[in-house]
Amino acid sequence: MLELENGTIEVFLNNELVTPSKPYLRDIAKELGVSILNGNGNPFNTRQLGALLIKELSV
């Protein structure tokens, strides 16, 4: 998983870029026990979810 300067989230599986990335981000969130919903109960968009997961994994 990689966050580009413009905020785009790229997900790699076996060293290959996968698109769309959101389903993979959801799977990662599920494995980590991270909610895919924001404080208002709405789903995070791809950039928000990716940034959240990167932050979670860097701890």
Side-chain angles (χ1 to χ4, degrees), residues 1 3 9 25 28-29 32-38 44-59:
M1 196 172 355
E3 183 175 12
I9 302 295
L25 294 173
I28 294 167
L32 295 175
V34 174
S35 177
I36 62 169
L37 303 177
N38 64 23
F44 286 114
N45 65 33
T46 303
R47 289 181 181 199
Q48 293 167 332
L49 183 56
L52 178 65
L53 292 174
I54 289 170
K55 184 177 179 182
E56 184 73 22
L57 289 169
S58 68
V59 173

Side-chain angles (χ1 to χ4, degrees), residues 3 7-8 10-11 13 15-16 22-23 26-28 30-31 33 35 37 40-41 44-45 47-49 51 58:
E3 183 175 12
T8 297
E10 293 185 337
V11 177
L13 182 61
N15 292 323
E16 292 190 28
K22 194 167 187 178
R26 288 180 180 155
D27 289 342
I28 294 167
K30 185 177 179 181
E31 288 182 30
S35 177
L37 303 177
N40 294 326
F44 286 114
N45 65 33
R47 289 181 181 199
Q48 293 167 332
L49 183 56
S58 68

